[in-house]
Amino acid sequence: MPVTDDGDTPTVSERDIDALFRRESRRVLATLIRLLGDFDLAEDALQDAFMAALRQWPTEGVPASPRAWLVSAGRFKAIDQLRRRARFDRAQDEIAAQLEGSADDPALLADDAIGDDRLRLIFTCCHPALAREAQVALTLREVCGLTTEEIARAFLSKPATLAQRIVRAKQKIRSAGIPYDVPGERELGERLAAVLQVIYLVFNEGYLSAGDQQVLRHDLAEEAIRLAELLVRLLPEPEACGLLALMLLHHSRRHTRLSDSGELILLEQQDRRRWDRQEIARGDALVRRALLSQRFGPYTLQAAIAAVHALAPDSESTDWAEIVGLYDLLYRQMPSAVVALNRAVAVAMRDGPGAGLELVEALLTEGELGDYHLAHAARADLCRRLGLVDQARDAYQRALTGTQQPAERRFLEKRLAELAEK
């Protein structure tokens, strides 16, 4: 912080406070939600606290612990607000009295408690009683601090619809008495899985956006990575490490996934010299850490597959036998048709397109992937590589009818145009 001419009293500008707001507001909000037990009241208190800081700090100086000062100021602002409401609702007066009675408890503002509040907030926003869409929206709003308009744009919703979803989620938390805490060991596995899935959904929307304005949403992908980093720091479970590793390894290729004209570039054609080696190293270390725990799950295995790709010096050097083996392990933990499809593509790279095509066609015959455009795209590519032009064309057409993602559609249309020339 800057100091005055006499060097004694710290001073602060509006710009400094604005920077502090961007850096600390989510932490302060998480603690205020714990103390006040109400999302909306906490959000009002957060704004009031920073307004008070704007008024007082430039003349009175910066407190020794700005975050604790903001939490304390916000809580007293909330008590004042409840007192005003008490003229119309006596229950508000009782709540205010309870909050006032605990105002001097130093444990409430301890650094450890405030740190844990962010973790509590993530688990509250991702409670299984809430619909998945509500979990994602609430997490982005309350934990990440994205505006309603930003979240609506990211997920192709109207801001009013998204706002109502968030309101209903908060009402559900209040009416159902959803606890604001990290679950105990007995419930942790189930609840952690929901948290990880929400974070990964956010990342996937950034990795390949459903919108037609931006194919890649680096802001969302990076927000998901920040969430996972927070989770790993506060709760270093192996699968949390695995998810963070998976996202870092995928994100390391962000500058090579699109051409200058905005077209998708397949993995084997990307310029590996431009991959982010620092993120690859971090991701690889996290994978190894998770695997050594012997308590890893699907995210860690997917990250291990991504690490094999990332560490190969070129496409031809990729260890496809190891990747097939990892998919075998993944399928045992997560026996889904999509995992089987990805394994089939890896088998094609290891044993040739004929072997892969046989597996893909068997999966399509079973019917579960009949409407999955990537299954038809995989079949089309294998047919193309085998010289089966008519079958490749039909499969590309099926894939094209199954996706509305603009960049994917352009890629498939380009493939069809190339086949028309043969």
Side-chain angles (χ1 to χ4, degrees):
M1 287 285 186
V3 294
T4 58
D5 292 339
D6 60 14
D8 294 326
T9 307
T11 62
V12 63
S13 68
E14 186 171 333
R15 182 180 298 178
D16 293 327
I17 296 176
D18 185 60
L20 183 73
F21 181 85
R22 290 194 301 271
R23 187 173 67 249
E24 297 287 353
S25 62
R26 295 301 102 189
R27 295 182 180 185
V28 173
L29 178 64
T31 299
L32 287 170
I33 292 172
R34 166 171 61 90
L35 297 175
L36 303 175
D38 184 290
F39 277 82
D40 294 331
L41 184 61
E43 287 171 356
D44 289 344
L46 174 70
Q47 297 298 327
D48 288 342
F50 273 95
M51 290 301 295
L54 280 169
R55 288 192 302 270
Q56 295 177 224
W57 291 5
T59 56
E60 298 178 9
V62 183
S65 177
R67 191 189 308 163
W69 188 98
L70 290 164
V71 170
S72 181
R75 182 171 48 174
F76 282 112
K77 294 291 185 182
I79 291 171
D80 289 343
Q81 186 176 145
L82 289 170
R83 293 291 190 201
R84 289 193 296 272
R85 293 180 190 173
R87 288 178 291 178
F88 308 98
D89 182 357
R90 292 293 301 171
Q92 303 297 312
D93 195 39
E94 294 177 12
I95 297 171
Q98 291 174 0
L99 291 173
E100 210 164 27
S102 62
D104 297 325
D105 185 353
L108 293 173
L109 299 181
D111 286 342
D112 288 346
I114 292 177
D116 290 344
D117 285 334
R118 292 175 292 164
L119 189 58
R120 293 188 186 98
L121 184 55
I122 292 174
F123 275 94
T124 301
C125 292
C126 298
H127 194 280
L130 303 176
R132 185 49 44 84
E133 295 83 1
Q135 292 176 352
V136 173
L138 198 60
T139 300
L140 287 173
R141 180 71 190 92
E142 305 300 336
V143 181
C144 303
L146 272 65
T147 66
T148 303
E149 290 74 17
E150 287 172 331
I151 303 168
R153 279 199 304 271
F155 291 94
L156 304 180
S157 298
K158 295 180 179 179
T161 302
L162 202 285
Q164 280 300 310
R165 187 175 295 161
I166 293 173
V167 168
R168 286 194 296 269
K170 292 176 181 177
Q171 290 173 342
K172 177 75 172 181
I173 289 171
R174 188 183 303 114
S175 62
I178 290 174
Y180 180 67
D181 60 15
V182 177
E185 186 174 346
R186 182 180 301 177
E187 300 175 333
L188 183 59
E190 176 190 350
R191 293 282 301 281
L192 180 61
V195 170
L196 296 178
Q197 189 173 14
V198 166
I199 294 174
Y200 198 40
L201 284 171
V202 174
F203 179 82
N204 279 337
E205 178 58 29
Y207 187 75
L208 185 64
S209 175
D212 56 5
Q213 299 300 315
Q214 292 177 270
V215 179
L216 311 180
R217 285 288 310 273
H218 295 318
D219 56 339
L220 278 181
E222 289 164 2
E223 202 63 65
I225 288 171
R226 279 193 289 271
L227 273 176
E229 288 173 334
L230 170 62
L231 191 62
V232 167
R233 189 161 64 249
L234 298 175
L235 190 71
E237 287 290 310
E239 267 299 82
C241 294
L243 175 60
L244 176 56
L246 176 61
M247 295 190 296
L248 286 169
L249 290 163
H250 283 323
H251 195 56
S252 70
R253 299 189 283 109
R254 62 192 176 280
H255 299 305
T256 64
R257 292 182 54 232
L258 290 181
S259 68
D260 292 339
S261 59
E263 304 305 313
L264 289 174
I265 302 175
L266 297 181
L267 176 63
E268 59 265 26
Q269 296 167 342
Q270 293 174 11
D271 183 355
R272 297 179 181 228
R273 294 169 300 180
R274 297 178 59 206
W275 287 1
D276 189 325
R277 292 295 157 186
Q278 186 175 2
E279 287 192 337
I280 290 172
R282 286 184 63 205
D284 183 52
L286 285 162
V287 169
R288 294 174 185 276
R289 171 177 159 188
L291 289 172
L292 284 171
S293 74
Q294 297 296 312
R295 294 189 294 113
F296 55 84
Y299 291 117
T300 299
L301 289 170
Q302 290 174 77
I305 292 167
V308 176
H309 286 296
L311 295 172
D314 50 56
S315 180
E316 292 72 24
S317 303
T318 303
D319 190 340
W320 288 104
E322 183 176 359
I323 289 177
V324 171
L326 288 167
Y327 271 122
D328 288 338
L329 292 173
L330 179 60
Y331 188 80
R332 289 177 203 164
Q333 289 202 2
M334 193 168 65
S336 74
V338 172
V339 173
L341 173 66
N342 292 333
R343 180 188 179 278
V345 172
V347 168
M349 298 302 295
R350 184 189 66 181
D351 301 336
L357 181 60
E358 184 178 347
L359 293 172
V360 171
E361 290 188 331
L363 288 168
L364 287 168
T365 300
E366 291 173 5
E368 190 174 343
L369 296 178
D371 296 326
Y372 187 49
H373 70 283
L374 293 180
H376 295 288
R379 179 174 180 269
D381 184 62
L382 294 172
C383 288
R384 179 185 63 83
R385 288 164 58 189
L386 289 167
L388 305 173
V389 176
D390 291 341
Q391 291 171 262
R393 184 181 298 112
D394 291 343
Y396 277 128
Q397 288 285 7
R398 285 289 303 276
L400 193 57
T401 60
T403 180
Q404 298 302 315
Q405 210 291 325
E408 288 183 335
R409 291 186 64 82
R410 290 194 300 270
F411 176 83
L412 295 169
E413 288 165 352
K414 181 180 177 182
R415 284 288 199 231
L416 279 167
E418 291 170 351
L419 287 177
E421 298 172 358
K422 294 186 178 181

